[in-house]
PDB file of all heavy atoms in Angstrom:
ATOM      1  N   THR H1032     -18.808  -1.859 -20.718  1.00 84.00           N
ATOM      2  CA  THR H1032     -19.208  -2.559 -21.929  1.00 84.00           C
ATOM      3  C   THR H1032     -19.664  -3.972 -21.584  1.00 84.00           C
ATOM      4  O   THR H1032     -18.909  -4.734 -21.001  1.00 84.00           O
ATOM      5  CB  THR H1032     -18.014  -2.638 -22.901  1.00 84.00           C
ATOM      6  OG1 THR H1032     -17.524  -1.326 -23.140  1.00 84.00           O
ATOM      7  CG2 THR H1032     -18.424  -3.275 -24.201  1.00 84.00           C
ATOM      8  N   ASP H1041     -28.353 -19.466 -28.921  1.00 94.00           N
ATOM      9  CA  ASP H1041     -29.624 -20.100 -29.281  1.00 94.00           C
ATOM     10  C   ASP H1041     -30.687 -19.993 -28.196  1.00 94.00           C
ATOM     11  O   ASP H1041     -31.763 -20.570 -28.346  1.00 94.00           O
ATOM     12  CB  ASP H1041     -29.394 -21.571 -29.620  1.00 94.00           C
ATOM     13  CG  ASP H1041     -28.514 -21.737 -30.849  1.00 94.00           C
ATOM     14  OD1 ASP H1041     -28.613 -20.878 -31.746  1.00 94.00           O
ATOM     15  OD2 ASP H1041     -27.735 -22.701 -30.911  1.00 94.00           O
ATOM     16  N   LYS H1069     -33.799  -5.946 -31.161  1.00 93.00           N
ATOM     17  CA  LYS H1069     -35.078  -6.485 -31.607  1.00 93.00           C
ATOM     18  C   LYS H1069     -35.600  -7.533 -30.631  1.00 93.00           C
ATOM     19  O   LYS H1069     -34.847  -8.374 -30.157  1.00 93.00           O
ATOM     20  CB  LYS H1069     -34.920  -7.129 -32.988  1.00 93.00           C
ATOM     21  CG  LYS H1069     -34.536  -6.158 -34.071  1.00 93.00           C
ATOM     22  CD  LYS H1069     -34.505  -6.829 -35.419  1.00 93.00           C
ATOM     23  CE  LYS H1069     -33.378  -7.811 -35.501  1.00 93.00           C
ATOM     24  NZ  LYS H1069     -33.194  -8.416 -36.813  1.00 93.00           N
ATOM     25  N   GLU H1123      10.158   6.895 -28.474  1.00 80.00           N
ATOM     26  CA  GLU H1123      10.946   6.373 -27.361  1.00 80.00           C
ATOM     27  C   GLU H1123      10.962   4.860 -27.477  1.00 80.00           C
ATOM     28  O   GLU H1123       9.955   4.251 -27.815  1.00 80.00           O
ATOM     29  CB  GLU H1123      10.330   6.790 -26.034  1.00 80.00           C
ATOM     30  CG  GLU H1123      10.254   8.282 -25.832  1.00 80.00           C
ATOM     31  CD  GLU H1123       9.479   8.664 -24.574  1.00 80.00           C
ATOM     32  OE1 GLU H1123       8.937   7.749 -23.904  1.00 80.00           O
ATOM     33  OE2 GLU H1123       9.402   9.856 -24.285  1.00 80.00           O
ATOM     34  N   GLY H1134       3.253  12.682 -28.447  1.00 89.00           N
ATOM     35  CA  GLY H1134       3.014  13.994 -29.027  1.00 89.00           C
ATOM     36  C   GLY H1134       1.997  14.748 -28.190  1.00 89.00           C
ATOM     37  O   GLY H1134       1.386  14.190 -27.283  1.00 89.00           O
ATOM     38  N   ASN H1178      21.102   8.411  -4.583  1.00 58.00           N
ATOM     39  CA  ASN H1178      21.121   8.203  -3.142  1.00 58.00           C
ATOM     40  C   ASN H1178      21.775   9.378  -2.405  1.00 58.00           C
ATOM     41  O   ASN H1178      22.535   9.193  -1.462  1.00 58.00           O
ATOM     42  CB  ASN H1178      21.844   6.891  -2.767  1.00 58.00           C
ATOM     43  CG  ASN H1178      21.099   5.705  -3.296  1.00 58.00           C
ATOM     44  OD1 ASN H1178      19.884   5.756  -3.507  1.00 58.00           O
ATOM     45  ND2 ASN H1178      21.802   4.632  -3.563  1.00 58.00           N
ATOM     46  N   CYS H1179      21.482  10.576  -2.860  1.00 56.00           N
ATOM     47  CA  CYS H1179      22.134  11.732  -2.266  1.00 56.00           C
ATOM     48  C   CYS H1179      21.704  11.972  -0.833  1.00 56.00           C
ATOM     49  O   CYS H1179      22.424  12.568  -0.062  1.00 56.00           O
ATOM     50  CB  CYS H1179      21.875  12.984  -3.105  1.00 56.00           C
ATOM     51  SG  CYS H1179      20.136  13.412  -3.221  1.00 56.00           S
TER      52      CYS H1179
END
Side-chain angles (χ1 to χ4, degrees):
T1032 305
D1041 296 327
K1069 296 185 292 185
E1123 299 173 356
N1178 295 334
C1179 62

